[in-house]
Amino acid sequence: NELQQKFANNNIHFYGLVPDKSFSDADVNAFAKQYKITMPLLRDSEQKVTRYTGASITPEVVVVNEKGATVYRGRIDNWAYELGKKRRVITQRELLDVLTAISNGKDIKVKKTKAIGCFIE
């Protein structure tokens, strides 16, 4: 939500994908409400978008430019450093860095990182 607000005026759009057939619209809406998620959450039960972007872990972010090309894929930040293990202090914010670079017309320095989470099946 913070990044969505920060980049709202930069023509950057946020969407969350739910790549699992077992979740209903009601489940997705309840999740959004529980966690106060303001971006649209889209069900990708056939995983078409998931496969197109190459996402394989949840959570994992994919930044796609206006031409449909992936310019970054990986973790949001380094909060999770191993499955089930989290840092007290976040020291790297890759998604923020990518969006800042895009907003400022600069090159993206890190284009891919390893996301930590569960495999998308």
Side-chain angles (χ1 to χ4, degrees), residues 57-68:
I57 301 288
T58 183
E60 182 173 15
V61 296
V62 179
V63 179
V64 179
N65 67 15
E66 65 279 354
K67 295 177 183 172

Side-chain angles (χ1 to χ4, degrees), residues 14-104:
F14 291 76
Y15 301 92
L17 286 180
V18 181
D20 192 321
K21 295 178 188 179
S22 65
F23 292 104
S24 67
D25 287 341
D27 294 331
V28 172
N29 291 337
F31 180 84
K33 184 176 181 180
Q34 179 180 356
Y35 292 100
K36 299 178 176 124
I37 297 171
T38 58
M39 74 178 111
L41 294 181
L42 310 171
R43 289 179 57 224
D44 186 28
S45 56
E46 294 182 23
Q47 298 184 357
K48 290 180 181 180
V49 178
T50 302
R51 282 193 301 276
Y52 174 80
T53 62
S56 61
I57 301 288
T58 183
E60 182 173 15
V61 296
V62 179
V63 179
V64 179
N65 67 15
E66 65 279 354
K67 295 177 183 172
T70 298
V71 296
Y72 173 77
R73 184 173 72 230
R75 65 188 187 187
I76 298 165
D77 54 40
N78 71 342
W79 178 52
Y81 62 93
E82 198 174 298
L83 197 57
K85 296 186 179 181
K86 298 177 176 53
R87 298 176 194 283
R88 290 181 186 235
V89 178
I90 297 168
T91 58
Q92 295 174 304
R93 292 174 168 80
E94 289 88 355
L95 180 57
L96 173 61
D97 294 345
V98 167
L99 298 177
T100 300
I102 290 169
S103 295
N104 294 328

Side-chain angles (χ1 to χ4, degrees), residues 70-74 98 107-113:
T70 298
V71 296
Y72 173 77
R73 184 173 72 230
V98 167
D107 288 335
I108 297 168
K109 293 180 182 177
V110 177
K111 297 180 190 291
K112 188 174 182 181
T113 57

